[in-house]
Amino acid sequence: VQPRRRTEQDAEDAVAELARALAALSQADMLRLKAIARLRARGLPSDTSWSDLLNEAIARALDGTRQYPEGIGVIAFLAGIMRSLASEHWRRLRREAGIFDLSGGDDGADAADPAPDPERNLVTLQALSALDQLFAGDPAASQILAGLAGGLSPKEIRETYGLSETDYDSTRKRMRRLLLRQGIAWSI
Amino acid sequence: MKIIRSDLALQRILDALEADLLAATAEEVQAIVAETGMSADALLADRGAPQRPSHNHEAGGDSTPHPDLRSDLPLKGGGA
């Protein structure tokens, strides 16, 4: 059976559905989106604000560049677009610098390159340092951060650092609260 | 000793922390708002949070909302 091709009407319906979902966001949802945008903007140069990133994600979604799929929450959808935009930003800089990206994908495409450009290195190190400082007062959080950086699973992190499941879960909860607090309110 | 690429490390951390934020409940967000002593509106107004799209079905015009975008977005351009 041939899958049904997306028609123009399907695309318009998807945009209308997205617009409805955006309009239905609560204030708590909007603040969560803000915290996510602020987190994702950490991986970008400082002249790109979280609101630039979020506005661009919404624009791409509403102009149909990114199609809103059924069965996914609008916040997760926009978070995915922001993630792609961040990757796209670095790919574009690499193209402009004459460095070819042969991987072609969003996910880890830039990370797979053996020599990230100096600007990205600088932004990355600043972001890692800021995250390190954010959780510096919480040793378990710092351990989890190190484990995440190394690509460890939750089970591997617990085993590596001798954390019980309860310790791990409660630490992740503290980390989430701190991130929310930082993402929602710290620039005020 | 295993050396981890810094850009890959950051990507992994951001992905994991983003998943945490996606899982945050409305109650957790409201608790943070209460801690600040500010209204959610004021917190949303900080540094140009996107405006909520509005519908105009009654007018029968273009009901597709558009965010208030700056013309000089650093991320503008390039295919998504």
Side-chain angles (χ1 to χ4, degrees), chain A residues 25 27 32 34 111 113 187, chain B residues 5 22 41 43 46 52:
Chain A
L25 286 177
Q27 284 183 322
R32 198 151 52 106
K34 173 183 172 181
D113 187 89
S187 74
Chain B
R5 282 266 305 265
L22 283 169
D41 280 338
L43 291 168
D46 169 41
R52 184 189 300 269

Side-chain angles (χ1 to χ4, degrees), chain A residues 101-117:
Chain A
D101 175 8
L102 301 177
S103 56
D106 273 349
D107 194 353
D110 309 280
D113 187 89
D117 59 86

Side-chain angles (χ1 to χ4, degrees), chain A:
Chain A
V1 179
Q2 289 282 339
R4 191 167 71 96
R5 289 182 61 186
R6 270 198 174 276
T7 64
E8 203 169 300
Q9 184 60 49
D10 289 332
E12 285 174 10
D13 289 348
V15 169
E17 177 59 31
L18 174 68
R20 278 193 292 274
L22 282 169
L25 286 177
S26 66
Q27 284 183 322
D29 289 332
M30 294 287 283
L31 286 169
R32 198 151 52 106
L33 202 46
K34 173 183 172 181
I36 291 169
R38 182 166 277 168
L39 175 72
R40 192 53 76 180
R42 284 180 179 277
L44 290 169
S46 57
D47 60 354
T48 305
S49 71
W50 66 268
S51 53
D52 290 338
L53 185 62
L54 181 52
N55 280 329
E56 181 70 4
I58 292 173
R60 297 275 179 108
L62 288 177
D63 71 10
T65 308
R66 300 284 180 146
Q67 211 138 36
Y68 185 44
E70 289 176 29
I72 184 170
V74 66
I75 296 178
F77 175 57
L78 291 173
I81 298 177
M82 286 190 280
R83 184 186 194 283
S84 294
L85 286 170
S87 293
E88 183 185 311
H89 172 83
W90 293 117
R91 277 201 306 277
R92 191 168 60 251
L93 284 192
R94 290 174 52 73
R95 279 198 304 272
E96 287 167 5
I99 304 168
F100 293 101
D101 175 8
L102 301 177
S103 56
D106 273 349
D107 194 353
D110 309 280
D113 187 89
D117 59 86
E119 185 186 357
R120 184 172 190 182
N121 270 337
L122 179 63
V123 169
T124 297
L125 291 174
Q126 286 172 338
L128 285 171
S129 172
L131 286 166
D132 198 41
Q133 285 176 20
L134 185 64
F135 296 111
D138 188 335
S142 294
Q143 289 172 333
I144 288 176
L145 213 57
L148 293 173
L152 301 184
S153 68
K155 184 171 180 287
E156 289 169 329
I157 293 173
R158 288 198 304 270
E159 287 171 358
T160 302
Y161 297 106
L163 297 170
S164 70
E165 203 163 333
T166 307
D167 287 341
Y168 180 86
D169 291 344
S170 58
T171 304
R172 285 301 288 262
K173 202 170 177 180
R174 284 198 305 279
M175 292 171 76
R176 183 167 73 214
R177 281 189 188 150
L178 186 55
L179 273 177
L180 274 174
R181 196 174 295 129
Q182 189 273 341
I184 289 172
W186 274 15
S187 74
I188 297 282

